[in-house]
Amino acid sequence: MTPQHIFLIGPMGAGKTTIGRHLADLLGLSFIDVDAEIESRAGADIQWIFDMEGEQGFRDRETKVLNDLVSGTPPRVIATGGGIILNADNRAVLQCSGLVIYLSATAEQLIERTRRDKTRPLLQVDDREAVIRKLVEERGPLYSQVADLVFPSGSTQPLRLAKKLAEAVSTLG
Ligand code: S3P
Protein backbone atom coordinates (compact mmCIF):
# COMPACT_ATOMS: atom_id res chain seq x y z
CA MET A 1 0.00 0.00 0.00
CA THR A 2 1.19 3.52 -0.74
CA PRO A 3 2.27 5.31 2.45
CA GLN A 4 0.23 8.31 3.59
CA HIS A 5 2.54 11.25 3.17
CA ILE A 6 1.69 14.82 4.09
CA PHE A 7 2.16 17.19 1.16
CA LEU A 8 2.40 20.94 1.42
CA ILE A 9 1.31 22.70 -1.75
CA GLY A 10 0.85 26.38 -2.57
CA PRO A 11 2.46 29.33 -4.31
CA MET A 12 6.07 30.53 -4.13
CA GLY A 13 6.49 32.40 -0.87
CA ALA A 14 3.67 30.64 1.01
CA GLY A 15 6.18 29.18 3.47
CA LYS A 16 5.92 25.50 2.50
CA THR A 17 9.53 24.63 3.36
CA THR A 18 9.74 26.45 6.69
CA ILE A 19 6.32 25.31 7.86
CA GLY A 20 6.93 21.81 6.53
CA ARG A 21 10.11 21.45 8.61
CA HIS A 22 8.26 22.55 11.77
CA LEU A 23 5.34 20.26 10.99
CA ALA A 24 7.63 17.26 10.48
CA ASP A 25 9.35 17.97 13.83
CA LEU A 26 6.03 18.27 15.61
CA LEU A 27 4.74 15.01 14.14
CA GLY A 28 8.03 13.14 14.53
CA LEU A 29 8.25 12.54 10.77
CA SER A 30 11.12 13.19 8.40
CA PHE A 31 10.95 16.10 5.99
CA ILE A 32 11.89 16.43 2.35
CA ASP A 33 11.60 19.29 -0.10
CA VAL A 34 10.99 18.41 -3.77
CA ASP A 35 13.00 21.40 -5.06
CA ALA A 36 15.98 20.54 -2.84
CA GLU A 37 15.84 16.93 -4.02
CA ILE A 38 15.76 18.05 -7.68
CA GLU A 39 18.82 20.24 -7.06
CA SER A 40 20.66 17.51 -5.20
CA ARG A 41 20.05 14.96 -7.99
CA ALA A 42 21.02 17.44 -10.72
CA GLY A 43 24.04 18.74 -8.82
CA ALA A 44 22.87 22.19 -9.88
CA ASP A 45 20.41 24.84 -8.77
CA ILE A 46 16.96 25.44 -10.21
CA GLN A 47 18.05 28.53 -12.12
CA TRP A 48 20.73 26.47 -13.88
CA ILE A 49 18.20 23.77 -14.78
CA PHE A 50 15.83 26.38 -16.24
CA ASP A 51 18.71 27.94 -18.19
CA MET A 52 20.00 24.67 -19.60
CA GLU A 53 16.83 22.62 -20.02
CA GLY A 54 14.05 25.18 -20.04
CA GLU A 55 11.02 25.08 -17.78
CA GLN A 56 9.92 21.77 -19.34
CA GLY A 57 13.21 20.13 -18.35
CA PHE A 58 12.63 21.27 -14.79
CA ARG A 59 9.01 20.03 -14.85
CA ASP A 60 10.12 16.59 -16.05
CA ARG A 61 12.60 16.37 -13.18
CA GLU A 62 9.89 17.53 -10.75
CA THR A 63 7.49 14.79 -11.86
CA LYS A 64 10.21 12.13 -11.59
CA VAL A 65 11.16 13.21 -8.06
CA LEU A 66 7.52 13.30 -6.96
CA ASN A 67 6.92 9.78 -8.24
CA ASP A 68 10.05 8.47 -6.55
CA LEU A 69 9.24 10.15 -3.24
CA VAL A 70 5.66 8.94 -2.97
CA SER A 71 6.70 5.34 -3.28
CA GLY A 72 9.22 5.76 -0.46
CA THR A 73 8.54 4.66 3.11
CA PRO A 74 7.96 5.61 5.87
CA PRO A 75 5.49 8.48 5.40
CA ARG A 76 7.10 11.92 5.32
CA VAL A 77 6.20 15.57 5.20
CA ILE A 78 6.89 16.61 1.61
CA ALA A 79 7.12 20.27 0.58
CA THR A 80 6.46 20.75 -3.13
CA GLY A 81 7.32 23.49 -5.62
CA GLY A 82 4.58 25.98 -6.49
CA GLY A 83 4.12 24.64 -10.02
CA ILE A 84 3.79 20.95 -9.22
CA ILE A 85 0.02 21.10 -9.63
CA LEU A 86 0.26 22.22 -13.27
CA ASN A 87 0.59 18.61 -14.42
CA ALA A 88 -2.61 16.53 -14.18
CA ASP A 89 -0.65 13.35 -13.46
CA ASN A 90 1.13 15.08 -10.56
CA ARG A 91 -2.23 16.19 -9.21
CA ALA A 92 -3.52 12.62 -9.32
CA VAL A 93 -0.36 11.31 -7.60
CA LEU A 94 -0.69 13.90 -4.82
CA GLN A 95 -4.33 13.09 -4.25
CA CYS A 96 -3.84 9.36 -3.94
CA SER A 97 -0.59 9.35 -1.95
CA GLY A 98 -1.51 11.13 1.24
CA LEU A 99 -2.94 14.23 2.84
CA VAL A 100 -2.60 17.40 0.77
CA ILE A 101 -2.42 20.71 2.63
CA TYR A 102 -2.72 23.93 0.64
CA LEU A 103 -0.95 26.90 2.20
CA SER A 104 -2.74 29.82 0.60
CA ALA A 105 -1.77 33.49 0.52
CA THR A 106 -2.94 36.62 -1.24
CA ALA A 107 -1.04 38.09 -4.17
CA GLU A 108 -0.11 41.07 -1.97
CA GLN A 109 1.39 38.83 0.71
CA LEU A 110 3.36 36.84 -1.86
CA ILE A 111 4.62 40.01 -3.56
CA GLU A 112 5.89 41.25 -0.21
CA ARG A 113 7.48 37.94 0.78
CA THR A 114 9.29 37.38 -2.50
CA ARG A 115 10.47 40.99 -2.80
CA ARG A 116 14.16 40.13 -2.52
CA ASP A 117 14.02 36.76 -4.23
CA LYS A 118 16.94 35.95 -6.51
CA THR A 119 16.52 32.19 -6.80
CA ARG A 120 13.17 31.59 -8.45
CA PRO A 121 13.52 31.80 -12.25
CA LEU A 122 9.87 32.71 -12.85
CA LEU A 123 10.22 35.78 -10.64
CA GLN A 124 13.38 37.22 -12.23
CA VAL A 125 11.35 39.49 -14.52
CA ASP A 126 10.66 43.24 -14.75
CA ASP A 127 7.04 43.02 -13.63
CA ARG A 128 7.21 40.47 -10.81
CA GLU A 129 3.94 41.69 -9.33
CA ALA A 130 2.03 40.98 -12.56
CA VAL A 131 3.54 37.48 -12.73
CA ILE A 132 2.53 36.74 -9.14
CA ARG A 133 -1.03 37.99 -9.69
CA LYS A 134 -1.34 35.85 -12.81
CA LEU A 135 0.03 32.74 -11.06
CA VAL A 136 -2.35 33.21 -8.12
CA GLU A 137 -5.30 33.52 -10.49
CA GLU A 138 -4.35 30.62 -12.73
CA ARG A 139 -3.10 28.19 -10.12
CA GLY A 140 -5.45 28.93 -7.21
CA PRO A 141 -8.20 26.64 -8.57
CA LEU A 142 -5.68 23.82 -9.14
CA TYR A 143 -4.38 24.00 -5.57
CA SER A 144 -7.97 23.95 -4.28
CA GLN A 145 -8.83 21.03 -6.53
CA VAL A 146 -6.23 18.71 -4.97
CA ALA A 147 -6.27 20.02 -1.38
CA ASP A 148 -7.73 18.06 1.53
CA LEU A 149 -7.14 21.01 3.87
CA VAL A 150 -6.59 24.71 3.17
CA PHE A 151 -4.78 27.03 5.59
CA PRO A 152 -4.17 30.72 4.93
CA SER A 153 -0.45 31.14 5.58
CA GLY A 154 -0.20 34.83 4.88
CA SER A 155 -0.10 36.45 8.28
CA THR A 156 0.55 33.63 10.74
CA GLN A 157 4.00 33.00 12.20
CA PRO A 158 5.40 29.71 10.75
CA LEU A 159 5.72 27.73 13.99
CA ARG A 160 2.26 28.77 15.13
CA LEU A 161 0.79 27.71 11.81
CA ALA A 162 2.68 24.43 11.88
CA LYS A 163 1.15 23.73 15.33
CA LYS A 164 -2.32 24.33 13.88
CA LEU A 165 -1.55 21.97 11.01
CA ALA A 166 -0.22 19.31 13.39
CA GLU A 167 -3.44 19.56 15.41
CA ALA A 168 -5.56 19.23 12.30
CA VAL A 169 -3.56 16.24 11.08
CA SER A 170 -3.82 14.53 14.48
CA THR A 171 -7.58 15.07 14.53
CA LEU A 172 -7.85 13.28 11.21
CA GLY A 173 -6.06 10.35 12.81
C1 S3P B 1 8.04 27.24 -9.04
C2 S3P B 1 8.20 27.26 -7.68
C3 S3P B 1 9.47 26.99 -7.02
C4 S3P B 1 10.35 26.08 -7.89
C5 S3P B 1 10.49 26.67 -9.25
C6 S3P B 1 9.14 26.85 -9.97
C7 S3P B 1 6.71 27.56 -9.62
O1 S3P B 1 9.27 26.36 -5.76
O2 S3P B 1 9.80 24.80 -7.95
O3 S3P B 1 11.17 27.88 -9.16
O4 S3P B 1 6.46 27.26 -10.79
O5 S3P B 1 5.87 28.11 -8.86
P1 S3P B 1 8.71 27.15 -4.44
O6 S3P B 1 7.22 27.19 -4.55
O7 S3P B 1 9.16 26.28 -3.32
O8 S3P B 1 9.35 28.49 -4.44
Side-chain angles (χ1 to χ4, degrees), residues 19-93:
I19 293 163
R21 280 187 200 287
H22 285 310
L23 179 62
D25 281 350
L26 291 164
L27 296 174
L29 298 176
S30 66
F31 171 80
I32 191 156
D33 180 276
V34 172
D35 284 341
E37 180 64 16
I38 293 170
E39 291 184 325
S40 149
R41 290 185 186 191
D45 65 17
I46 290 175
Q47 183 67 63
W48 187 93
I49 299 170
F50 267 68
D51 289 345
M52 293 299 146
E53 302 177 356
E55 179 171 349
Q56 191 53 50
F58 172 78
R59 297 294 171 208
D60 293 346
R61 287 176 181 272
E62 186 174 49
T63 295
K64 171 84 172 82
V65 166
L66 176 67
N67 282 289
D68 289 352
L69 292 183
V70 297
S71 52
T73 48
R76 294 192 267 206
V77 174
I78 302 176
T80 61
I84 204 155
I85 42 69
L86 293 173
N87 176 312
D89 291 339
N90 291 353
R91 295 199 295 275
V93 166

Side-chain angles (χ1 to χ4, degrees), residues 92-147:
V93 166
L94 290 167
Q95 281 186 299
C96 67
S97 306
L99 183 73
V100 183
I101 303 178
Y102 169 22
L103 296 180
S104 69
T106 64
E108 283 66 30
Q109 288 164 335
L110 299 171
I111 289 165
E112 175 57 24
R113 286 181 177 193
T114 58
R115 211 174 21 161
R116 293 198 191 83
D117 182 77
K118 294 270 182 283
T119 62
R120 295 174 171 109
L122 298 179
L123 300 185
Q124 310 314 307
V125 292
D126 289 341
D127 197 348
R128 194 174 42 90
E129 295 195 14
V131 168
I132 290 175
R133 286 186 203 289
K134 186 161 172 275
L135 292 179
V136 167
E137 198 183 308
E138 288 175 356
R139 295 176 175 183
L142 298 175
Y143 295 129
S144 300
Q145 184 191 316
V146 294

